[in-house]
Amino acid sequence: MEYQPIASGQNRNYGISNPGFIPSAQGEAAMFAPPTAESHGPSAPPASMFDSMPGYEGTVAGGGGFLPPPGPPHPVPQPEPGPAQPHWNIPSISEDTAREAFVLFASSKCCYSSAPAKDGVITGMEAYNTYRYRLETFTESRSTEWTHEPYHGQPVDAYSQPPPGPWDIPAKTPHFFQESKQVIKVPYTSSVKNCHLCLGMGRTPCKDCAGAGNKVCWVCNGSGFRHGDDRCHHCNGRGRENCNHCHGRGAKDCSTCHGKQQLLVYIKLTVKWSNHSDDYVVEQSSGLKVDNISKVSGKELFRDSQYLVYPLMGFPDPAVVSAAERFVSEHQGKYSRTSRILQQRQTIELIPITKVTYTWKGKSHIYFVYGNEFKVNADNYPATCCCTIM
């Protein structure tokens, strides 16, 4: 049997000719020849697609980093010393509290016997005052980028008047120290352009069939026959089957313009509110690891919140004072370059740590009770067993 092209006017052979074949595809004719490279445009929009907007000359697609805020129109208020805090210490926990925390800890472990916690004799308790200083800086940053969306009749306002500056556009500020983000369409930057991907056609060649509208039949592998002269019933002897991704059309709606042929191009402003936090925990000699301390809360001894905080003064631990001076200087210098500082807050917590020494079966052991949650750390618990899951 002679090989002939199925579609007239084409220079390719797709299977064996079958005069009795009736195409199963309905509607538009399939595009049998794969499309040329010029059948669709670049995936990324060209630079010429974006207009030059006054005040936004450096804006590009994909964003160009955060925009430095302008200087304040009025003199910024100077930081003021925080309120005095005369009481820096809290009392140690009682022996009953230490024992109750230990019993609760042992009962939460499936492989721990509660006997040491219940029957152990407490012989000593040492209290350690560990301070945690925290500085938070709440900032607002702004960035712009060109973007686009399918055009379906949205307002077009480019060049009707100069667009407002990126820091002149109002945005709804959330509560202080709560992170958030808002995306705003910059007024007077919207224009309509032909879609760069489909070149304004609204459709792009189907990638699954390379725009042909059909593919080699997987049953007969393109021969049109299965065994000898037994015609393939899957493709009716055609040797090819319609592409189920584009339904035999050879093209699909453009993924960029959604078949609308045109795009609304505009500048997008992203306003981001961020809370930057740094902690400093004073080293203590109890033996408890700092990682454990970071998981608990303490008693708040000091809180100061204002536009810019003043470095800590009058605190009895010089290490905390030094850390506060360093953090305040670093935050105000670092975050004012690319964002606008809205508020700062500094706090000091006293995290109670009690080292408990107890005896059980004639041997001495220790455990720690720490934090407001009375968490327990007992690395060398004396009565554990090996659990086996059958």
Side-chain angles (χ1 to χ4, degrees):
M1 187 173 289
E2 182 182 359
Y3 284 87
Q4 296 177 359
I6 292 178
S8 61
Q10 305 293 326
N11 295 321
R12 289 175 175 262
N13 294 334
Y14 296 108
I16 302 174
S17 64
N18 181 5
F21 169 71
I22 300 176
S24 59
Q26 301 294 326
E28 303 177 33
M31 185 192 305
F32 286 91
T36 62
E38 292 77 17
S39 60
H40 59 89
S43 58
S48 59
M49 184 174 178
F50 308 121
D51 299 324
S52 178
M53 290 292 168
Y56 294 87
E57 289 80 0
T59 303
V60 296
F66 293 107
L67 303 170
H74 307 288
V76 298
Q78 294 299 313
E80 299 178 359
Q85 299 289 331
H87 303 291
W88 299 107
N89 296 306
I90 60 175
S92 303
I93 64 173
S94 66
E95 184 175 318
D96 289 341
T97 301
R99 185 179 297 279
E100 290 173 4
F102 199 27
V103 171
L104 185 62
F105 166 78
S107 63
S108 68
K109 306 290 185 180
C110 65
C111 298
Y112 282 24
S113 168
S114 60
K118 292 181 178 179
D119 304 331
V121 178
I122 295 178
T123 59
M125 295 176 60
E126 297 178 82
Y128 293 83
N129 290 338
T130 299
Y131 300 109
R132 176 167 58 207
Y133 172 80
R134 174 174 295 156
L135 175 64
E136 298 170 272
T137 299
F138 186 63
T139 63
E140 176 185 328
S141 59
R142 300 194 172 201
S143 61
T144 57
E145 63 176 305
W146 280 102
T147 188
H148 53 74
E149 61 187 44
Y151 178 67
H152 48 80
Q154 303 96 310
V156 177
D157 56 10
Y159 296 109
S160 59
Q161 69 180 68
W167 285 95
D168 297 328
I169 299 174
K172 186 177 180 180
T173 304
H175 294 296
F176 286 158
F177 309 107
Q178 293 184 6
E179 297 194 342
S180 183
K181 185 174 73 171
Q182 185 178 355
V183 177
I184 304 171
K185 183 183 295 184
V186 177
Y188 312 115
T189 62
S190 300
S191 61
V192 176
K193 308 285 184 182
N194 283 337
C195 178
H196 59 278
L197 185 64
C198 65
L199 303 179
M201 301 297 292
R203 301 173 67 190
T204 55
C206 175
K207 295 181 180 179
D208 199 65
C209 64
N214 53 73
K215 299 184 291 185
V216 174
C217 175
W218 64 273
V219 177
C220 65
N221 199 26
S223 67
F225 291 85
R226 299 187 62 181
H227 304 287
D229 292 335
D230 185 13
R231 188 174 68 178
C232 177
H233 295 288
H234 182 74
C235 64
N236 292 326
R238 181 187 181 193
R240 299 185 71 84
E241 57 179 324
N242 286 328
C243 175
N244 56 3
H245 288 268
C246 64
H247 306 290
R249 295 181 300 172
K252 302 173 69 174
D253 282 347
C254 175
S255 59
T256 298
C257 68
H258 299 175
K260 299 297 184 180
Q261 302 179 345
Q262 292 180 313
L263 299 173
L264 182 73
V265 181
Y266 59 92
I267 294 177
K268 178 178 69 176
L269 171 68
T270 301
V271 186
K272 187 176 181 181
W273 293 275
S274 305
N275 190 40
H276 311 277
S277 178
D278 277 310
D279 291 355
Y280 173 78
V281 178
V282 178
E283 294 184 6
Q284 36 78 34
S285 57
S286 67
L288 183 66
K289 297 179 180 178
V290 176
D291 291 343
N292 296 102
I293 300 174
S294 64
K295 302 174 184 177
V296 297
S297 61
K299 176 179 175 59
E300 189 174 280
L301 303 178
F302 175 81
R303 173 182 289 259
D304 176 28
S305 180
Q306 51 184 307
Y307 167 63
L308 294 175
V309 298
Y310 196 84
L312 194 65
M313 298 177 64
F315 193 74
D317 194 318
V320 174
V321 175
S322 177
E325 291 178 351
R326 185 175 74 255
F327 283 175
V328 169
S329 176
E330 290 176 354
H331 275 223
Q332 294 179 4
K334 178 180 179 180
Y335 298 117
S336 61
R337 297 192 189 102
T338 58
S339 57
R340 175 182 287 169
I341 296 178
L342 301 180
Q343 191 80 182
Q344 286 189 306
R345 178 170 64 191
Q346 57 182 346
T347 57
I348 298 177
E349 295 173 280
L350 189 147
I351 303 176
I353 300 175
T354 302
K355 183 178 180 180
V356 183
T357 305
Y358 70 101
T359 58
W360 187 69
K361 290 188 176 181
K363 293 185 179 181
S364 180
H365 307 277
I366 65 169
Y367 66 91
F368 297 94
V369 182
Y370 58 99
N372 287 343
E373 300 82 359
F374 300 123
K375 283 190 172 292
V376 171
N377 176 267
D379 289 337
N380 298 312
Y381 194 76
T384 61
C385 63
C386 297
C387 297
T388 303
I389 299 176
M390 301 301 291

